[in-house]
Amino acid sequence: MQALVLQLFHEGHAFMPRRVGLEDFRRRHWLSGESARQKLASDNGWMAGLLEVFEQAALPVQLGLCTAAYPGGSISAADFTALKSALLESLDTALQTQGPFEVVVLLLHGALSAAAQTDPESDLLQAVRRRIGPRPLVGVALDFHGNVGEGLVAAADVVVAGRCYPVTDIAARGARLASLLLRRLGQGAADWPAERRQALRTRHVRLPLVVPVSSTQTLVGPFAGLASRASALEIELGLDDLALVGGFPFADHDRACVSVLATGQPAACRQAVRELARLAWRRRAELQSTLPGPSELGQWLREPGQGTLVVADAGDNPGVGGLGQDGTLLAEVLRSRSRFAAGIHVDPRTVQLARNAGVGGEIALNLRRAGPGPSDLSLLGIWNARVERLGPMVYRNAGPVMPGVTLDGGAGAVLFIQSGSGAVGHVLVASERIQGYDTQAFLSQQVALSGLDVVLIKSSAHFRLDYAAHATRTPGPAMRMADGGGWSSADLHSHLGGLPATDGNSGRSRPVLPLDALDEESWQALIDREPGMRLPVDAVA
């Protein structure tokens, strides 16, 4: 017996006009075999957990095509076809030269967005299932922010998703997926009658609720309570696995919502969904809340206090599809009297100006709005800056979120600014989009974080862990989130229904909060009609 693992990982922002192409996947990684094992088995990610459990069980594992791209816009139809063809070619080669396989695993995101494709990952998984036939077990791993498709769940046997945001659990979740597949393999699942296998497959149920990414944190806030209850229900009801999936709101189709993935006895799965749905309904107002904006940031910077305030610009987070170019909140800092550090601002033009000027040279830093709507790219102001450092904006995470992963922002620069209002500090500027949620973003560029009034970063949740030691502001809170109005804004009305989706989707077939008015009865009726809520005629005891 042996297993085959494939990876195609991308989170697509269906409203962002800038597309993601094949070159973005090849730039991040495009590997197979031993080279994929060497890179992905050591980064504390999905693959690491999966391989550890399979290897402990002495199950040989082959790695087919493994590729990923940084979050961005939709993939063109041609590039999706090329990606799908490459993955299936890798599968066919493995089947011919190394097969047969009793287990096939796909590491996906769940929020892939591709032009002219209503559900690209379901399409991909169904193609894999047609290639391998009904007998092998199929396992799928999805990101916490996946938009799960019914076709994907129907083609798989076991589907698990990340359960933590910030992401600290994916190695453990990869191990859980491997353990569930091994258990079924040992129980002879390949020879189960079709109705038994169907009944015990992972169930997926959508909740009619779209939640801003910033409100899906599982450390603090209303979603944390939901996630905690899901973990307790898994134990109480004896489920194999239960995950509350935050969903990715920047899409315009029915899959883009909060959902539940439940693996185990059908009746227990349905009971778990009902309780989580009731709890989500009670907390719906908190879950839909937006964030403070630039004026509130200005007020925070004027408040008396001591120590460092850590502020995350959740509205321009490259980790969930933001461009990293929006200067709205940075401009507010530069108008204050704060000692600061800010980054990572993504602006290839400014990096090139800095390279032309050289270390010690002076350049003009132009800050612009870079979000959806008519104000996109409007000028916010110009500040004089001295080039203090030049070189690659490359560093290796050392904190608790995806430790050991290398982030590469391409050519970079560190600018020193002393503004006319009295603000003094450093701005990290990169050429490529990366999220500076780890303090190594600053420390690798020799920018100290001690003795500052404010540290401004572009993140939604990941920053909370590694920056906590630097958040010393009193009176508190010393860590806050704000929204400059970029492409990852918590104001979903600036995207949904207001901009054309670049993946070709054009709306929803069913109501969803906050876009539609729902009462509790209609909310529950929508959930009850979900395919995953139906009990089989002969439910497995």
Side-chain angles (χ1 to χ4, degrees), residues 330 333-334 336-343 415-419 422-428 442 447-449 451-456:
L330 177 54
V333 171
L334 292 173
S336 73
R337 299 177 59 83
S338 303
R339 296 165 297 170
F340 74 91
L415 307 180
F416 176 78
I417 299 178
Q418 187 164 4
S419 73
V424 178
H426 295 91
V427 179
L428 306 184
F442 291 91
V447 174
L449 297 177
L452 301 177
D453 299 313
V454 61
V455 176
L456 177 66

Side-chain angles (χ1 to χ4, degrees), residues 3 31-43 47-48 51-52 54-55 59-64 66:
L31 304 166
S32 61
E34 189 58 31
S35 58
R37 190 184 302 269
Q38 289 178 0
K39 178 177 177 59
L40 300 176
S42 60
D43 67 358
M47 187 74 81
L51 291 178
E52 181 179 5
F54 279 157
E55 288 169 0
L59 181 70
V61 181
Q62 308 299 330
L63 301 187
C66 296

